Amino acid sequence: MPSLDRPTRIGMIVPSSNTCLEPQTYRILGDRRDVTIHSTRIPVTRIALDDSSDKQFDSSVMRAAAELLATANVDVIAWNGTSGSWLGAAHDHAMVREITEATGIPATTSTLAYLSAFSEFGTERIGLFTPYTPDVNDAVVASYAREGIKTIDHRHLDLSDNESFARVTDDEMLPGSLELAASHPDALVYLCTNLYGADITAEVEARTGVPVLDSVAVTLWHALKLAGAPLLDPRWGKLLAG
């Protein structure tokens, strides 16, 4: 007979060209055996403000991916992408409602995970770091402003090819990160689940005292919360520990 005692299962919908979030998620979990990650991919290759890019995040595509994850009897389903940060939180709220209606499983997204974190930690003023183009950053800033989050400063790397984001190095991220932290935001946000921001989170927090919220870590944190599982080691972001 199969055992009824099993780890918490987190289902993740992954952008097809993302090479960071799966290995990084397991790196963050470390040697934990109480949680397992189960992924399915949808086609995502570029990030831009146009119809062809937006269609990558169509609700019917997300629903089909979620229905596949549901066959693994996962406890939570997360769209592990930040598209709602520029498409707007209403887009992601509608998405998770549709996923839960189709599967009966609680759902979240990277964007909704951030908004939950901002609310829980009293975060109102952020420094924003992304690999995106300036117009995408501007759309994110405007979207966050509608949610009551003020971006006091931001940096972007002018990239649009999603696969390239994971090749950004720590040395390329650190100077801009320290500049943003010097503005004394409530938190520094690494916005992109294909960006290895969690790798320098502990260093930036130690050097500046500013909390860091990385997309991969924040999405995992929210999924664990929804599942009622223990949270993260503080080295992945002191606010996310539990």
Side-chain angles (χ1 to χ4, degrees), residues 176-235:
S177 301
L178 297 177
E179 291 170 4
L180 290 170
S183 299
H184 305 293
D186 296 331
L188 171 61
V189 169
Y190 291 130
L191 189 70
C192 178
T193 63
N194 201 23
L195 189 70
Y196 280 95
D199 284 355
I200 60 172
T201 289
E203 178 180 356
V204 172
E205 289 188 340
R207 291 177 64 173
T208 69
V210 175
V212 175
L213 295 172
D214 164 76
S215 292
V216 175
V218 167
T219 307
L220 177 58
W221 167 85
H222 198 224
L224 292 171
K225 279 180 66 73
L226 291 176
L231 302 180
L232 305 182
D233 186 283
R235 70 189 175 111

Side-chain angles (χ1 to χ4, degrees), residues 13-21 40-48 50-59 61-62 65 79-84 86-87 91 95 132 160-166 192-194:
I13 302 172
V14 179
S16 59
S17 52
N18 187 308
T19 61
C20 167
L21 76 84
T40 191
R41 290 179 175 249
I42 64 167
V44 177
T45 58
R46 58 186 290 271
I47 301 301
D50 57 44
D51 288 344
S52 64
S53 177
D54 290 351
K55 286 177 181 177
Q56 299 174 117
F57 313 112
D58 184 78
S59 62
V61 176
M62 297 292 182
W79 158 231
N80 213 325
T82 55
S83 53
W86 58 89
L87 296 176
H91 175 274
M95 181 196 303
Y132 306 137
S160 58
D161 173 34
N162 193 66
E163 186 277 332
S164 71
F165 302 161
C192 178
T193 63
N194 201 23

